[in-house]
Amino acid sequence: MDFQWITGSVGYFQGAVNIGYIKVSSQEGMLVDAGLDEQAMKKVLRHLGEQELPLTHLFITHAHADHYGGAAYLQEKQAIHTYAPNLESAILENPILEPLYLFHGVYPLPHWRNKFLEGKPVRVDTILMEEENLKVGEVSLQTIALPGHSYNQFGVIAEDILFAADGYFGKESLDKHGIPYIVDASRTLESLEKIKSLPCKGAIPGHGSYEEDYVKTVEKNISVHKEIGQLVEENVRAIKGGITLENLVAVCCSNKAVVIKNAPSYMLFRTAVSAYLTKLISEQKVDFAVKNNQLVVELVSR
Ligand SMILES: [Zn+2]
């Protein structure tokens, strides 16, 4: 995990999950997200210590374990003021909620509660209710609502550099996922358009590299989501009388060359496919029906 400055006071640790750093003053500094686990946080703390860079604040963009898993260790080690968006904060404080919602609300078995789906509980000191200028020391940082990938994800802008979290993915991780994880296709697209319209000098996604010309990458994200949305619709259209949700997930994943290896991973893809479906349902193109005690997706007849 290498640290890289972008401006004199804004930089990031680049890894499988990026961790942002904003030097607010000689006394104050803020991390944007906390990485997957204790190991990731130890590396961050070692580097900041070696470079004598201050760390007083933590901004958690959304409650996915790869972004907050290192936070509990950080809070244990030192005083840190933690910000997180509303709703995401409820999950951060009660992280069992993630495996719980992914597995249809049943109480999750111990092996579903792995570090990729559930981190240690995080104390949230300030809950962000809406976009605002966040006052950190003497500096104010613009927060920006980017829901869609997660229920109430927020990004943050410092010195015209956007920390976009999973508001968009770098090209490589976009290709790797096949069907990127989202919970709401409409909001995902709205957030992508919003990122495009921001007058930022550059942006850092949660997974990928800093780019000045990030708009191209954001456009690529938009076309991937639109393409998957069409794919879902075509797969519903292809089977007369509707398709079971189970078969729809299977056929969409096969179309995108996704090979799901285990149950937790299946739940992530099921959620993503369902998130395109809710967009199609609200557009009154398709709807859920129950046939022979099976959940079926069918075209809305006009
Ligand atoms: Zn995420």
Side-chain angles (χ1 to χ4, degrees):
M1 206 165 52
D2 292 324
F3 183 76
Q4 191 187 320
W5 285 112
I6 297 163
T7 70
S9 57
V10 172
Y12 74 117
F13 295 87
Q14 189 172 16
V17 187
N18 297 326
I19 300 174
Y21 177 72
I22 301 162
K23 188 180 175 192
V24 176
S25 69
S26 60
Q27 304 296 318
E28 287 150 320
M30 183 169 94
L31 287 179
V32 181
D33 286 332
L36 175 65
D37 54 17
E38 192 175 311
Q39 272 62 40
M41 185 49 65
K42 276 183 179 163
K43 286 180 194 159
V44 167
L45 291 179
R46 194 180 312 132
H47 180 85
L48 295 179
E50 281 165 7
Q51 301 297 312
E52 297 183 1
L53 290 165
L55 177 58
T56 48
H57 294 75
L58 167 65
F59 183 99
I60 299 178
T61 58
H62 65 297
H64 287 166
D66 54 339
H67 291 254
Y68 77 82
Y73 177 76
L74 173 60
Q75 292 185 340
E76 206 179 283
K77 282 286 153 195
Q78 66 176 79
I80 190 104
H81 189 93
T82 304
Y83 301 97
N86 188 32
L87 192 53
E88 303 291 334
S89 61
I91 302 169
L92 292 168
E93 289 170 338
N94 305 280
I96 192 175
L97 287 172
E98 185 175 355
L100 197 142
Y101 66 65
L102 284 172
F103 283 86
H104 334 236
V106 297
Y107 197 84
L109 290 169
H111 63 281
W112 299 343
R113 303 180 64 183
N114 59 55
K115 71 172 177 181
F116 299 99
L117 296 188
E118 182 181 341
K120 290 191 182 144
V122 180
R123 183 196 74 247
V124 180
D125 301 303
T126 302
I127 297 174
L128 306 171
M129 299 307 291
E130 53 189 23
E131 291 181 352
E132 61 180 307
N133 282 311
L134 198 67
K135 202 114 166 67
V136 181
E138 291 305 306
V139 173
S140 67
L141 304 167
Q142 179 64 46
T143 64
I144 175 121
L146 299 171
H149 163 77
S150 179
Y151 305 107
N152 196 26
Q153 173 176 258
F154 268 61
V156 62
I157 301 170
E159 292 204 331
D160 281 341
I161 306 297
L162 168 68
F163 289 98
D166 294 349
Y168 73 95
F169 290 99
K171 285 198 185 78
E172 264 179 42
S173 47
L174 200 58
D175 292 341
K176 193 184 91 183
H177 289 296
I179 299 176
Y181 181 81
I182 57 169
V183 297
D184 187 317
S186 304
R187 286 194 172 87
T188 297
L189 286 166
E190 282 164 22
S191 291
L192 285 163
E193 291 296 341
K194 189 171 177 180
I195 294 172
K196 255 177 75 178
S197 70
L198 290 172
C200 287
K201 269 196 306 217
I204 307 155
H207 309 269
S209 306
Y210 170 73
E211 285 180 299
E212 274 182 11
D213 191 11
Y214 60 94
V215 169
K216 259 193 210 147
T217 308
V218 173
E219 276 168 353
K220 174 85 181 136
N221 277 254
I222 292 172
S223 63
V224 164
H225 289 298
K226 286 189 172 162
E227 186 209 314
I228 299 169
Q230 274 166 9
L231 181 69
V232 172
E233 189 179 345
E234 279 161 20
N235 283 328
V236 176
R237 207 173 280 280
I239 311 285
K240 225 177 168 241
I243 180 169
T244 63
L245 180 60
E246 228 170 49
N247 284 340
L248 183 63
V249 172
V251 72
C252 290
C253 286
S254 302
N255 291 154
K256 298 297 292 178
V258 171
V259 180
I260 305 175
K261 299 213 170 69
N262 53 48
S265 176
Y266 179 84
M267 297 304 173
L268 294 167
F269 283 104
R270 192 187 67 122
T271 303
V273 170
S274 303
Y276 293 100
L277 268 185
T278 53
K279 179 172 185 289
L280 293 170
I281 292 171
S282 51
E283 291 167 352
Q284 295 181 317
K285 289 179 174 166
V286 309
D287 207 354
F288 280 132
V290 178
K291 291 182 180 175
N292 303 319
N293 291 336
Q294 289 181 308
L295 187 62
V296 169
V297 187
E298 58 182 17
L299 281 180
V300 170
S301 51
R302 295 177 188 250

